[in-house]
Amino acid sequence: MFQSFDNKSTPQFGKARVEALRATFDRLGIDGFLVPRADEYQGEYVPESAERLAWLTGFTGSAGVALVTRAEAVVFVDGRYTTQLTSQVDPSVFTGGDLVGAPPAKWLAELAPNGFRLGIDPWLHTGAELKRFETALSEKGGAVVLLDGNPLDPLWEGRPAEPLEPVVLQPDHVTGIPAATKIETIAEIVYARKANAVLITDPSSIAWIFNIRGNDVPHTPHPLARAIIYADGKADLFLDERKVGDDAQAYLQPLATLFAPDEIAARLHAIASAAGRILADADVAPVALTLSIVEAGGQVVEAADPVKLPRACKNAAELAGSAAAHLQDGAAMVEFLAWLDGQAPGSLTEIKAVTALEATRAKVGQGMQNPLKDVSFDTISGAGQNAAIMHYRVTTESDRKLEDGEMFLIDSGAQYINGTTDITRTVAIGEVPEEQKRFFTLVLKGFIAISLARFPKGTRGCDLDPLARIALWKAGADYAHGTGHGVGSYLSVHEGPQRISRVSKQELLPGMILSNEPGYYRPGAFGIRIENLVYVRDAAPVEGGDLPMLSFETLTWCPVDRRLIIASLLTDEELQWLNRYHAQVCEKLLPLISDTEVRQWLVSATTDITRY
């Protein structure tokens, strides 16, 4: 298994650990300390050695930050995790905060006492974050204190070692562009900005530039590494040599000079001391590195990571690989759903469903000679009321049976060498109440609206987000997560800068892969989400139109549960889209499935829906 079901939350230790942290404040000269859910590379997924937030608080979600002061301890999370937070932390120690509406910087500006001194680990925060904290405290006569080390680390007995997983090479036929060409293109950007070099700190960018992959963090196949690329086309790669085998060494040596990770500050100092100008992304680069440039007399030129958009706008080879991966994944999903349908209500648990799906993906991958490399995130497997927890993670303690009359939500994904998948289906277990079917159909209407969307060039994710919500809004409902996130090419399942959400200002560009996943969640009762991956492409011209338009091309092929759809709530256009989609699902996947019963199930699951 690529995922575990152990309950890793330890709220019982929260009080003692917070007291131990506070005991360091006088020595450090601080009044509070921030503990983000982040590592020194600012990735979404972090190695066990960097799970400081979970160790301190018990909260195991993928986004959050704790602010511990002398008198308070607040854990800030977004809407996906509010329910989870209440069950994972000691309420006598921690209170909940709003990571989106009232994040730590706002808390500091409004509630911190005068003269408040905030301690941070400069490796775990970016330049952009530092500015927000400094601004928040400036009017109170406070200050941010950059600590030499993280005060939690000496307190953490048995802290896991940093990962040393081997680097593997990603072949050109799936990357589409050789690494040498990518480096040359980035060097041209540096030269055009009249800079000496660019600092690349995002491991996904490193993986994409050098066409390498790794296994240092769960479910995201990048190695923890950084790089400096110079205006003359040379490159330095900061990567632990213990991760580099003979083949990788022979491949990387012509592309870059290899250094140990802890040598990067010295290299930046050398460039900066010669009055060097270094491009760095203030939203990604840790303060520790940008500060070393300034202290050596260099200039930090704030600029977006030059790899973000090229990585997001997939080339033809990457799109072709993703399409093939999704067909394979669709075949596995169909086999799993057919099996699930054949089980008696109450005979399965959430964990059994997860293990069956992962085993099916592995079997299908082996049969199609494209092995399952990993899951792309821990599967969300929620039955009945557990599905109302948006990012529910089943454990041996919470494992629930799939009971008659309930809905079951399974949100899962896979990593294949040619693509990353992410799919959610909500299915009926037995006969489901009409009210739940109504909300399922309202969510489906939003899902279809995104699938059908045509939009002019320049459209941003925030412009499309309401399309997925209107049917729910009319019913007095909504959901507390974005409608879609970017997805990488055998990289992170959550990739920026592209998103479909209220706050996304990024223009949607051809080649960007995004999820389309509206939902609805009624706490303590049920949850619904339907998700496909799509990519942005040029739309066919419309007769009489006068603007170039874009649209979405579907990547995910898998039936939507017909038993949960109230056809009378769908418009003719929506019903036509759904029937056409199901016809394509059957056409594309039937040749990949040999089992007679599964084939019969697929044909039945994709039969046209009528109103009568």
Side-chain angles (χ1 to χ4, degrees):
M1 289 292 295
F2 288 112
Q3 52 199 311
S4 130
F5 306 104
D6 297 333
N7 183 3
K8 297 181 180 180
S9 178
T10 53
Q12 68 272 25
F13 300 124
K15 183 177 181 180
R17 290 171 179 176
V18 165
E19 289 176 351
L21 174 60
R22 285 175 175 150
T24 69
F25 285 4
D26 286 342
R27 175 175 57 82
L28 297 172
I30 61 176
D31 301 303
F33 182 69
L34 275 175
V35 184
R37 205 277 181 172
D39 66 358
E40 293 79 354
Y41 294 86
Q42 302 300 316
E44 177 185 7
Y45 288 98
V46 303
E48 289 187 5
S49 58
E51 289 279 13
R52 297 179 179 91
L53 180 62
W55 179 83
L56 178 70
T57 68
F59 172 66
T60 60
S62 65
V65 58
L67 172 60
V68 178
T69 71
R70 295 179 184 273
E72 297 184 71
V74 185
V75 183
F76 299 84
V77 298
D78 61 38
R80 298 171 298 171
Y81 292 116
T82 50
T83 303
Q84 179 176 331
L85 179 69
T86 59
S87 66
Q88 286 194 320
V89 302
D90 183 343
S92 71
V93 179
F94 300 99
T95 57
D98 183 353
L99 188 60
V100 178
K106 188 173 182 180
W107 191 99
L108 291 167
E110 296 177 354
L111 299 175
N114 291 334
F116 188 87
R117 291 172 61 81
L118 175 70
I120 68 170
D121 180 341
W123 285 99
L124 303 184
H125 296 275
T126 66
E129 289 177 300
L130 176 60
K131 286 182 180 179
R132 289 194 289 270
F133 302 148
E134 289 177 333
T135 300
L137 292 171
S138 61
E139 295 184 4
K140 294 175 172 282
V144 178
V145 180
L146 303 180
L147 302 177
D148 290 335
N150 194 303
L152 290 181
D153 293 351
L155 304 175
W156 188 349
E157 294 183 8
R159 182 182 171 214
E162 293 184 3
L164 290 171
E165 296 296 323
V167 165
V168 295
L169 309 182
Q170 185 74 339
D172 285 352
H173 74 269
V174 289
T175 67
I177 304 173
T181 303
K182 295 177 180 180
I183 294 170
E184 182 180 346
T185 301
I186 295 167
E188 291 171 356
I189 294 171
V190 176
Y191 181 81
R193 292 294 302 269
K194 296 182 171 57
N196 299 91
V198 60
L199 171 64
I200 307 289
T201 60
D202 184 342
S204 283
S205 292
I206 301 298
W208 186 87
I209 294 167
F210 292 95
N211 291 341
I212 56 177
R213 298 295 187 266
N215 195 30
D216 282 336
V217 300
H219 313 320
T220 300
H222 59 218
L224 294 177
R226 300 184 180 96
I228 300 172
I229 295 177
Y230 299 86
D232 63 3
K234 294 180 181 177
D236 295 336
L237 180 60
F238 299 86
L239 176 66
D240 195 306
E241 65 179 4
R242 289 171 291 181
K243 301 177 186 179
V244 184
D246 291 343
D247 289 345
Q249 182 88 12
Y251 166 79
L252 288 170
Q253 277 186 335
L255 297 172
T257 304
L258 299 183
F259 292 93
D262 60 5
E263 294 183 80
I264 189 167
R267 292 295 295 164
L268 289 171
H269 190 281
I271 304 167
S273 61
R277 286 167 48 87
I278 302 173
L279 301 178
D281 191 329
D283 290 325
V284 180
V287 172
L289 292 180
T290 52
L291 190 63
S292 70
I293 297 170
V294 174
E295 289 177 343
Q299 181 181 356
V300 176
V301 182
E302 292 190 6
D305 179 343
V307 178
K308 270 185 183 177
L309 282 179
R311 191 179 76 219
C313 299
K314 310 297 185 288
N315 59 48
E318 290 170 324
L319 289 174
S322 184
H326 277 84
L327 284 175
Q328 173 178 325
D329 207 56
M333 280 297 300
V334 164
E335 184 169 327
F336 164 75
L337 290 174
W339 169 83
L340 181 67
D341 245 12
Q343 310 305 305
S347 65
L348 286 181
T349 67
E350 295 163 334
I351 288 178
K352 286 182 180 178
V354 176
T355 56
L357 176 54
E358 188 172 315
T360 301
R361 279 191 165 116
K363 184 187 76 171
V364 171
Q366 185 176 18
M368 297 184 69
Q369 299 183 339
N370 187 34
L372 174 68
K373 295 292 188 180
D374 198 345
V375 294
S376 54
F377 55 95
D378 285 334
T379 299
I380 299 168
S381 175
Q385 63 188 27
N386 284 348
I389 304 171
M390 280 173 268
H391 272 218
Y392 169 69
R393 179 182 172 274
V394 59
T395 68
T396 52
E397 295 175 8
S398 69
D399 193 19
R400 192 174 188 277
K401 289 184 178 180
L402 281 58
E403 298 286 7
D404 189 24
E406 296 182 338
M407 290 186 294
F408 171 58
L409 184 157
I410 186 153
D411 183 351
S412 68
Q415 295 283 11
Y416 306 102
I417 193 172
N418 55 345
T420 300
T421 72
D422 183 1
I423 176 174
T424 308
R425 289 296 183 264
T426 304
V427 300
I429 306 298
E431 182 57 39
V432 171
E434 286 298 303
E435 176 73 348
Q436 296 186 24
K437 292 180 182 179
R438 183 171 76 89
F439 275 100
F440 181 92
T441 309
L442 295 177
V443 172
L444 177 62
K445 287 170 75 71
F447 171 83
I448 294 173
I450 296 295
S451 302
L452 281 169
R454 290 174 58 92
F455 45 96
K457 293 185 177 181
T459 296
R460 305 160 300 171
C462 60
D463 300 323
L464 294 184
D465 186 70
L467 298 181
R469 300 179 188 269
I470 287 174
L472 285 166
W473 286 349
K474 289 179 179 179
D478 200 2
Y479 51 94
H481 58 76
T483 298
H485 55 82
V487 178
S489 179
Y490 188 39
L491 278 173
S492 177
V493 75
H494 295 139
E495 176 183 81
Q498 71 275 29
R499 283 192 295 167
I500 302 174
S501 76
R502 290 182 171 98
V503 298
S504 177
K505 307 298 184 184
Q506 171 61 47
E507 177 185 352
L508 298 179
L509 301 170
M512 286 180 167
I513 296 177
L514 299 111
S515 66
N516 168 16
E517 51 177 311
Y520 175 71
Y521 313 89
R522 182 170 290 178
F526 62 89
I528 300 160
R529 188 160 59 250
I530 310 170
E531 177 186 18
N532 278 357
L533 297 192
V534 297
Y535 70 88
V536 182
R537 59 168 298 171
D538 291 322
V542 175
E543 186 175 350
D546 54 12
L547 284 176
M549 304 293 281
L550 299 171
S551 63
F552 291 122
E553 183 78 10
T554 297
L555 285 166
T556 305
W557 303 103
C558 180
V560 176
D561 195 338
R562 300 167 73 255
R563 298 165 297 184
L564 291 172
I565 299 168
I566 300 175
S568 61
L569 297 180
L570 299 178
T571 66
D572 289 344
E573 184 182 33
E574 290 166 345
L575 191 57
Q576 288 167 9
W577 181 90
L578 183 60
N579 285 335
R580 185 168 62 251
Y581 173 72
H582 275 158
Q584 290 176 292
V585 168
C586 191
E587 178 185 350
K588 291 174 181 290
L589 298 185
L590 206 57
L592 304 180
I593 298 167
S594 58
D595 185 280
T596 301
E597 291 185 2
V598 177
R599 289 171 64 88
Q600 290 172 347
W601 182 92
L602 175 58
V603 171
S604 176
T606 55
T607 301
D608 277 1
I609 298 171
T610 63
R611 299 190 193 282
Y612 309 104

